[in-house]
């Protein structure tokens, strides 16, 4: 639990410092991809995620992906 909290705080700190954030377009695109993979409609998936209170977790996953991408790209630039 403690390790997970530290990871979350670090993730949020990097995102804040580097001005990385998840937009509504990011959320919509991710929900659309989930809908396509599950042969469902965007509205059905969005409604399910909202009813199950999964949107905050999805937003956090997307933010983590953005931070990871940023770190990978930054390390590539530093090594170049």
């Amino acid at each position: 639990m403690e390790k997970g909290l530290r990871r979350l705080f670090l993730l949020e700190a990097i995102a804040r410092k580097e001005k990385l954030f998840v937009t509504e377009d990011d959320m919509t695109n991710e929900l659309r991809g989930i809908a396509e993979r599950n042969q469902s409609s965007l509205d059905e998936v969005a409604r399910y995620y909202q009813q199950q209170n999964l949107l905050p977790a999805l937003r956090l996953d997307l933010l983590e992906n953005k931070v990871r991408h940023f770190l990978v790209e930054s390390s590539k630039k530093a090594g170049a």
Side-chain angles (χ1 to χ4, degrees):
M1 176 94 171
E2 183 180 320
K3 191 175 187 178
L5 283 175
R6 273 191 266 153
R7 190 178 120 230
L8 176 63
F9 289 138
L10 181 59
L11 171 79
E12 289 178 340
I14 293 169
R16 198 171 30 256
K17 181 179 183 300
E18 300 302 329
K19 296 178 178 57
L20 302 172
F21 53 92
V22 176
T23 66
E24 289 307 311
D25 283 345
D26 294 332
M27 292 290 287
T28 300
N29 289 337
E30 186 65 20
L31 290 170
R32 185 174 288 117
I34 293 167
E36 289 173 5
R37 288 190 297 276
N38 291 287
Q39 299 175 347
S40 188
S41 74
L42 172 60
D43 288 340
E44 288 173 325
V45 171
R47 188 171 35 258
Y48 175 81
Y49 270 68
Q50 186 172 19
Q51 289 171 346
Q52 299 299 315
N53 197 32
L54 296 172
L55 291 173
L58 180 61
R59 185 175 293 276
L60 185 59
D61 286 345
L62 291 174
L63 183 61
E64 183 175 359
N65 287 339
K66 283 189 173 202
V67 169
R68 285 178 193 254
H69 180 75
F70 167 79
L71 292 174
V72 168
E73 292 303 311
S74 294
S75 69
K76 285 180 183 178
K77 290 176 185 175

